[in-house]
Amino acid sequence: MNNKALLDRSLAAVWHPCTQMKAHETMPLVPIKSGEGVWLHDFEGNRYLDAVSSWWVNLFGHNNPRIKQAISQQLNTLEHVILAGFTHEPVVTLSERLSKLTGLGHCFYASDGASATEIALKMSFHYWRNLGKPNKTRFVSLQNSYHGETLGALSVTDVAIFKDTYAPLLQQSAQVRSPDWRLAEVGESADDYALRCANELDTYLAQHHQEIAAFIVEPLIQCAAGMAMYSPVYLKRAREICDQYQVHLIADEIAVGFGRTGTMFATEQAGIRPDFICLSKGITGGYLPLSVTLTTDMIYQAFYDDSVARGFLHSHSYTGNALACSAALATLDIFETDDILQANRQKTVYLNNKIQMLNDFPIKNLRNLGMVWAFDVQTQDAQFSRRFYERALARGLILRPIGNTVYWMPPYVVSESEMDWMLEQTQALLAMGV
Ligand SMILES: *Cc1c(COP(=O)(O)O)cnc(C)c1O
């Protein structure tokens, strides 16, 4: 097998995600043979630093011995069993541990982030219906929000390129101003701007709360919007406003959960507890598809009844897959035994001490939160994102700019010398001109 043979077969057989397949006439796929730590290897001896954590899922590197061992141990006893009417040790232990970490109650499982969003939306609506408020059927999200691509999740997503084509299939939802601090007025602080945005949420809910079931939000970073960061005061106020108007607060921590923003969950930085939390991506360390929606005991109790129809009858075939749960348990173990949040804080300080040099180039809004770094390149080139991606790849660095935003979201196992290398390569790319 070589690179070329595999990519030809892939183009003939695989429909790749988030891709206009015709683009691959001029932009080759990258066949990957193996991975080790932050590196991915192709069939011709080239290696690439996975600075996007394989689409934000990989936390502890490729070929991680501990996660591998947990999965293979689980393989010896039980790979999977139907979770309706049955249960198993990994799903119970994982639920107990996630509950302790989030302060929320029962865990409802699925396999992908978008499904976790769907579950939160359906549960919220169904809760109000069970309470005799069937008019609460609508949802509010932020401008530029991203919550997944299935029809329900896409309904609360606000990214035109993903959404516009499917508009006739989607539920109407409302979008309120994003607290992304790049949108603040000159002289307005991030906190002041966040509070101004929260006031707009307040105004909207004051008028519409009778038909609104929930407000869904990506806490602290709207990643798909281009790593749009915002002040935690927004979340604190949003919590108060949602309480005031009896609207659920759904925290979509699919991208930011599991330490990405510096705390285990981003909502911790606002000192709030959401009514629902959606988790996926990093939950298995990037090993197996798993997602989960947790909610409060109060919401759970509203479904607990003699009537079958008042129950939450949603399901997916692979709900609570034992192998995926074992990978998630190993991931949580690593967080504990290696004190990952503390180790990450040191990495963040290390890299932050060096990145100012990027400001010598035509960039703006150089920003960091936890293990996410981003900046916006000032360029007229409409093809910037693709061109920068290709040039980075040629140097062995995997970057996938979002519009003109370049970001790093490396696996947490990234070393100081690997961070140096990532920074040097990025500098060299900027020095080539944008
Ligand atoms: C990736 C993502 C999703 C969707 O998860 P999938 O596993 O891709 O379906 C939802 N919300 C956020 C914030 C995400 O980053």
Side-chain angles (χ1 to χ4, degrees):
M1 183 65 61
N2 60 28
N3 278 357
K4 181 82 172 72
L6 192 63
L7 78 82
D8 285 346
R9 282 172 54 203
S10 193
L11 290 177
V14 181
W15 199 332
H16 291 266
C18 201
T19 300
Q20 168 49 267
M21 291 297 290
K22 194 163 193 290
H24 284 307
E25 287 182 3
T26 52
M27 183 170 68
L29 284 163
V30 187
I32 295 300
K33 180 183 176 195
S34 63
E36 184 67 46
V38 298
W39 299 97
L40 291 165
H41 300 263
D42 69 12
F43 290 84
E44 289 168 356
N46 303 304
R47 65 176 196 166
Y48 307 89
L49 194 149
D50 188 0
V52 300
S53 293
S54 290
W55 242 350
W56 318 345
V57 301
N58 191 298
L59 303 188
F60 302 127
H62 298 278
N63 198 22
N64 181 289
R66 285 185 274 178
I67 302 176
K68 242 172 41 173
Q69 207 214 336
I71 297 169
S72 64
Q73 229 166 12
Q74 184 59 39
L75 265 174
N76 292 327
T77 51
L78 178 70
E79 76 298 333
H80 180 72
V81 64
I82 176 175
L83 200 68
F86 296 81
T87 195
H88 56 82
E89 171 85 38
V91 79
V92 173
T93 308
L94 180 61
S95 304
E96 290 168 348
R97 290 177 73 174
L98 290 175
S99 179
K100 201 173 255 174
L101 286 168
T102 59
L104 292 169
H106 290 75
C107 293
F108 198 103
Y109 291 91
S111 309
D112 291 290
S115 305
T117 303
E118 301 285 343
I119 289 162
L121 298 177
K122 283 178 70 179
M123 269 186 188
S124 173
F125 158 78
H126 196 166
Y127 169 86
W128 295 117
R129 191 182 162 85
N130 281 352
L131 248 64
K133 294 188 174 178
N135 293 333
K136 285 166 96 64
T137 58
R138 295 159 73 94
F139 300 98
V140 179
S141 62
L142 291 179
Q143 279 167 359
N144 305 320
S145 59
Y146 182 89
H147 299 290
E149 312 268 352
T150 54
L151 293 179
L154 197 56
S155 292
V156 290
T157 287
D158 185 40
V159 180
I161 187 76
F162 302 140
K163 187 170 189 180
D164 285 359
T165 305
Y166 306 101
L169 305 181
L170 304 177
Q171 291 286 323
Q172 292 281 327
S173 70
Q175 275 68 51
V176 290
R177 184 189 287 274
S178 164
D180 173 0
W181 58 247
R182 294 175 300 175
L183 305 173
E185 300 282 345
V186 178
E188 187 180 32
S189 74
D191 281 6
D192 287 346
Y193 177 61
L195 289 171
R196 176 154 68 91
C197 294
N199 285 340
E200 292 199 11
L201 174 67
D202 191 344
T203 306
Y204 187 83
L205 292 187
Q207 278 172 16
H208 299 280
H209 66 93
Q210 270 150 348
E211 70 242 29
I212 305 293
F215 172 49
I216 181 167
V217 66
E218 296 155 87
L220 297 189
I221 312 181
Q222 293 182 284
C223 296
M227 302 302 154
M229 299 182 183
Y230 64 88
S231 162
V233 305
Y234 183 80
L235 297 170
K236 206 164 146 43
R237 271 299 289 143
R239 176 70 280 181
E240 292 164 1
I241 294 162
C242 286
D243 284 342
Q244 183 183 349
Y245 296 111
Q246 294 210 319
V247 167
H248 290 142
L249 179 63
I250 302 173
D252 175 352
E253 296 231 12
I254 290 164
V256 295
F258 299 101
R260 200 39 95 170
T261 66
T263 45
M264 195 62 171
F265 300 107
T267 38
E268 291 169 28
Q269 293 180 44
I272 60 155
R273 195 184 68 167
D275 299 297
F276 297 89
I277 189 166
C278 303
L279 304 173
S280 188
K281 291 208 164 107
I283 191 170
T284 62
Y287 265 72
L288 288 164
L290 182 73
S291 67
V292 56
T293 302
L294 289 97
T295 189
T296 62
D297 290 338
M298 188 182 77
I299 290 171
Y300 174 79
Q301 286 302 332
F303 290 78
Y304 199 87
D305 197 83
D306 290 328
S307 155
V308 173
R310 281 177 69 107
F312 193 62
L313 305 185
H314 187 98
S315 68
H316 297 283
S317 310
Y318 281 96
T319 294
N321 177 262
L323 294 173
C325 289
S326 72
L329 287 168
T331 299
L332 292 180
D333 286 343
I334 295 173
F335 270 102
E336 280 181 16
T337 53
D338 295 9
D339 197 357
I340 293 300
L341 296 179
Q342 177 57 27
N344 282 356
R345 272 193 281 280
Q346 282 162 13
K347 290 180 190 195
T348 301
V349 169
Y350 179 84
L351 193 49
N352 281 351
N353 279 334
K354 302 195 164 191
I355 53 172
Q356 288 310 323
M357 57 177 68
L358 291 173
N359 278 317
D360 296 342
F361 297 99
I363 68 156
K364 56 182 183 177
N365 303 325
L366 183 59
R367 56 196 180 276
N368 159 254
L369 187 62
M371 292 295 282
V372 182
W373 289 263
F375 56 84
D376 306 328
V377 174
Q378 293 175 291
T379 173
Q380 302 305 320
D381 182 2
Q383 297 290 312
F384 168 78
S385 160
R386 170 174 168 174
R387 201 163 44 79
F388 205 79
Y389 163 80
E390 287 178 317
R391 285 181 177 178
L393 199 63
R395 290 175 159 267
L397 179 61
I398 301 179
L399 297 175
R400 286 177 57 99
I402 300 170
N404 67 345
T405 298
V406 174
Y407 72 90
W408 301 318
M409 215 202 251
Y412 303 162
V413 292
V414 69
S415 69
E416 289 184 354
S417 63
E418 286 160 347
M419 285 191 280
D420 287 342
W421 189 83
M422 190 171 77
L423 175 60
E424 280 160 24
Q425 294 307 316
T426 306
Q427 258 182 299
L429 285 162
L430 290 169
M432 290 167 75
V434 294

